[in-house]
Amino acid sequence: MDAVTTRKYQPYSRVNLPDRTWPDQTIETAPVWCSVDLRDGNQALVQPMNLEEKLEMFELLTAIGFKEIEVGFPAASQVEFDFMRLLIDGQRIPPGVVIQALTQSRAALIRKTFASFVGAEEAIVHLYNSTSTLQRDVVFRKGRREIIELGMAGARLIREQARDSDVRIRYEYSPESFTGTELEFALEICEAIMEVWEPTPENPVILNLPATVEMSTPNIYADQIEWFCRNLSSRECALISIHGHNDRGTAVAATELALMAGADRVEGTLFGNGERTGNVDLVSLALNMFTQGVNPNLDLSNINKVINVYERCTKMNVPPRHPYAGELVYTAFSGSHQDAINKGMDALLAHPESLWEVPYLPIDPQDVGRTYESIIRINSQSGKGGVAYVMDKEFGFKLPKEMHPGFGRVIQEVADASGDELSPEVIFHTFEKEYLLNANGFVLKAFNVIKRHLDDDEEQSTAEVEAMLEVHGQETWVEAVGNGPLDAFCEGLRNSLGMGFTLHSYHEHALTRGSSSKAVSYIEIIDQDQEGWWGAGVDTDIIISSIKALLSALNRSDAKNNQ
């Protein structure tokens, strides 16, 4: 980009609205939603949906809770017409759901649209014609009056057809490319259409103001919507609908601001599928509202099902970073993020009635059918807190905090060597190899507590133990007395093998429940070089698990000394 090419463009015109009020508004209720997945979304596909796929998509949309669905352009192709007939003749339209069909302002197309409606209880006929300055000049070569007459002619024919129809017809009009149309002219043609249709507050017309091409920042679109709402005659007789596209990548923001500016209704698609960069994404819009405590009146509690049907029917993919729905949006690789999420989850468990407040997660993944297990995933960028979280949530090992750095370094080496994400299974197998199955120097063959003497004064309690060990391939018996089985075993190692170490930390917890439950012990020793080493052991006997943990720590220390 340089100064020469930049001169090809100019800033979009601002709206003279110094007393705009929308910045002070908030979205407190959901709009009327209208899905255009079967029309806008379908026409944007490399391979448009067949009848079976369109039916599956329609059933998904009704299950989610859409009450208005634009099912196609029945006058444009036989497939579109046949799908309308499939819905009506097959009685597949649920109570309360209204089908919508698009048509240009051409007599043959309007008549075929009404033919497709026969037998329906209610339908919305959606009339449009392009009003933008550019298309008037370049495409149609018509003046304002001719464009208005074209729209009004279509509106008159639609009204005539509606009078003769047994279907309850609702009217919708779109000045296509509203964002490229002078505001005064958009208002003029919409009011001309309203004069033909004669709406009332009880039976309002839908005036759809599409950002057919997103041409400005979202605040300017909001200004246009507020200006239009202020200046429209008989505002109470119209539902102001918005239909955003995503050419600038800000369709969701523009739609939210337009709702604050007075819009009543939103047309869009699941995950933003549509021409060029797509339509506004209704999933993001609805869940944005949800995170602000507003009921969106759409059921997205099983987001995986929505994704599966969408991808199967459209042959499109939901990107891994797509808001709320992507595979990775509830995942943290960064160590600091993982640690913060882990702590946030723990705090929430301690206060389950509190508001959802977890760092880096604006929504509870369970509210959209996701699980906590996928929140933290491990690669070379991950930290010790994330590794500990996976061990806890996936496998039940609650590693002592002091143990996190050491195991984190072990996993870091594996991740660096792999260059890829590590699955929970790889993390556990690494833990198992490093701590539970480490038999480099010391292997426990047998262990017995010969006798114990318990005293009210714990310091006076004693235990006599014997153990068979394999030490660097040689079997060795160890016998000793201490103030408990673990202490006695340590004394035996010092006395029989001349080992110099001290116990520094000890933790234990139940790993499983039931009559054959297992316990896990974690032990840190300080070796002769004053270096700390952690070990872990698992057994149905808590004493044996502690002995195994001690030997695990000794094996790790021994491996270092024998490198």
Side-chain angles (χ1 to χ4, degrees):
M1 304 295 179
D2 55 30
V4 174
T5 55
T6 302
R7 285 199 292 268
K8 293 167 60 178
Y9 306 97
Q10 63 179 350
Y12 190 87
S13 300
R14 296 180 59 85
V15 179
N16 183 19
L17 197 69
D19 58 342
R20 61 183 58 84
T21 62
W22 63 261
D24 297 323
Q25 307 303 313
T26 57
I27 298 173
E28 297 179 348
T29 58
V32 175
W33 300 106
C34 177
S35 162
V36 295
D37 289 87
L38 296 167
R39 204 274 305 170
D40 253 30
N42 189 51
Q43 76 173 18
L45 299 176
V46 174
Q47 180 180 345
M49 289 179 270
N50 58 34
L51 287 177
E52 291 76 15
E53 290 164 341
K54 292 190 75 161
L55 181 59
E56 185 176 10
M57 178 64 76
F58 179 80
E59 289 174 345
L60 172 68
L61 295 170
T62 58
I64 290 171
F66 287 99
K67 301 302 182 185
E68 297 181 5
I69 300 173
E70 190 163 273
V71 296
F73 196 151
S77 73
Q78 192 61 42
V79 171
E80 298 283 280
F81 187 93
D82 290 345
F83 180 62
M84 183 72 80
R85 296 313 314 161
L86 175 67
L87 294 179
I88 297 171
D89 295 338
Q91 298 182 337
R92 295 179 181 271
I93 304 171
V97 173
V98 181
I99 53 174
Q100 177 173 307
L102 185 72
T103 181
Q104 293 171 318
S105 187
R106 291 165 55 189
L109 301 183
I110 291 170
R111 289 192 173 93
K112 191 164 186 179
T113 300
F114 274 85
S116 76
F117 285 155
V118 172
E121 291 186 10
E122 184 176 5
I124 299 170
V125 59
H126 183 182
L127 172 70
Y128 79 97
N129 66 307
S130 186
T131 60
S132 74
T133 307
L134 183 61
Q135 293 207 40
R136 294 197 315 261
D137 293 343
V138 175
V139 179
F140 300 108
R141 299 181 184 276
K142 294 181 182 292
R144 287 188 177 189
R145 192 65 244 168
E146 293 172 290
I147 295 295
I148 292 174
E149 285 297 334
L150 178 63
M152 291 180 70
R156 292 188 191 99
L157 180 57
I158 287 171
R159 183 165 187 178
E160 292 172 7
Q161 293 284 302
R163 285 172 178 165
D164 297 334
S165 175
D166 293 330
V167 181
R168 179 174 180 263
I169 298 294
R170 291 168 54 195
Y171 302 133
E172 176 175 354
Y173 174 69
S174 289
E176 189 195 7
S177 299
F178 166 78
T179 48
T181 303
E182 307 91 333
L183 277 176
E184 295 82 358
F185 180 54
L187 179 67
E188 182 181 0
I189 193 169
C190 285
E191 293 199 322
I193 300 296
M194 288 179 70
E195 287 181 12
V196 174
W197 283 339
E198 297 180 331
T200 64
E202 295 74 30
N203 188 27
V205 67
I206 300 169
L207 293 180
N208 189 51
L209 307 178
T212 309
V213 179
E214 189 178 37
M215 304 171 71
S216 70
T217 51
N219 61 301
I220 293 180
Y221 187 50
D223 280 350
Q224 291 174 317
I225 299 302
E226 181 168 343
W227 184 95
F228 191 94
C229 290
R230 284 192 197 183
N231 288 278
L232 179 67
S233 302
S234 304
R235 171 67 179 88
E236 71 281 2
C237 297
L239 290 175
I240 302 302
S241 179
I242 47 180
H243 178 119
H245 280 252
N246 201 40
D247 300 86
R248 292 172 54 92
T250 57
V252 169
T255 300
E256 289 178 328
L257 298 191
L259 288 171
M260 293 160 57
D264 308 299
R265 182 179 184 268
V266 174
E267 293 187 348
T269 60
L270 300 179
F271 309 115
N273 175 45
E275 292 279 18
R276 307 183 309 280
T277 54
N279 286 47
V280 67
D281 173 16
L282 299 185
V283 174
S284 292
L285 273 173
L287 291 176
N288 280 357
M289 294 179 192
F290 181 70
T291 65
Q292 302 302 303
V294 176
N295 184 354
N297 296 326
L298 294 177
D299 182 4
L300 297 167
S301 59
N302 189 349
I303 197 73
N304 287 337
K305 177 183 178 182
V306 176
I307 293 168
N308 291 339
V309 174
Y310 166 82
E311 291 188 337
R312 183 165 57 251
C313 292
T314 66
K315 314 297 189 298
M316 302 283 284
N317 293 319
V318 175
R321 298 293 182 189
H322 193 100
Y324 302 110
E327 179 187 1
L328 298 178
V329 296
Y330 303 112
T331 297
F333 290 107
S334 162
S336 61
H337 288 199
Q338 292 172 341
D339 183 60
I341 290 173
N342 197 1
K343 290 174 180 175
M345 290 293 190
D346 289 343
L348 201 64
L349 287 173
H351 303 282
E353 301 304 319
S354 61
L355 293 173
W356 175 261
E357 290 182 319
V358 174
Y360 303 110
L361 292 177
I363 190 174
D364 182 349
Q366 287 191 336
D367 288 335
V368 291
R370 292 289 180 85
T371 59
Y372 294 142
E373 284 76 3
S374 62
I375 289 176
I376 292 181
R377 291 163 63 170
I378 307 301
N379 64 12
S380 61
Q381 303 301 307
S382 305
K384 59 186 185 297
V387 173
Y389 181 92
V390 170
M391 287 298 296
D392 182 7
K393 299 303 180 185
E394 295 280 352
F395 305 107
F397 284 80
K398 302 181 186 300
L399 307 187
K401 189 172 181 62
E402 297 80 8
M403 192 176 176
H404 293 185
F407 185 45
R409 286 191 293 272
V410 172
I411 293 298
Q412 184 76 40
E413 292 176 2
V414 176
D416 286 341
S418 166
D420 201 356
E421 178 187 350
L422 302 185
S423 69
E425 289 72 25
V426 169
I427 293 168
F428 176 74
H429 290 322
T430 302
F431 176 83
E432 193 175 43
K433 179 181 177 182
E434 181 73 18
Y435 294 94
L436 303 182
L437 302 178
N438 189 331
N440 294 324
F442 304 89
V443 180
L444 183 66
K445 294 296 187 179
F447 183 88
N448 294 297
V449 178
I450 300 173
K451 64 175 67 172
R452 295 194 67 173
H453 172 71
L454 302 178
D455 195 285
D456 291 339
D457 183 353
E458 291 185 2
E459 294 184 2
Q460 300 301 316
S461 298
T462 61
E464 183 179 346
V465 303
E466 63 178 13
M468 169 67 78
L469 296 177
E470 184 179 296
V471 181
H472 296 296
Q474 300 294 320
E475 288 191 349
T476 302
W477 274 98
V478 173
E479 295 179 325
V481 177
N483 63 11
L486 180 60
D487 180 66
F489 184 62
C490 291
E491 285 300 312
L493 293 176
R494 296 187 188 103
N495 296 335
S496 301
L497 302 177
M499 301 182 66
F501 65 90
T502 57
L503 286 179
H504 186 257
S505 297
Y506 175 80
H507 299 266
E508 65 182 41
H509 66 80
L511 188 60
T512 57
R513 297 180 180 179
S515 58
S516 59
S517 63
K518 291 183 177 181
V520 59
S521 299
Y522 310 95
I523 284 179
E524 184 188 23
I525 65 167
I526 305 297
D527 66 12
Q528 292 175 331
D529 299 327
Q530 299 302 302
E531 188 171 357
W533 295 92
W534 279 93
V538 175
D539 201 89
T540 54
D541 186 322
I542 187 63
I543 294 174
I544 301 300
S545 77
S546 66
I547 299 300
K548 288 180 177 179
L550 173 63
L551 293 177
S552 169
L554 289 171
N555 278 325
R556 298 185 70 236
S557 173
D558 185 70
K560 182 263 304 189
N561 293 325
N562 288 291
Q563 285 179 350

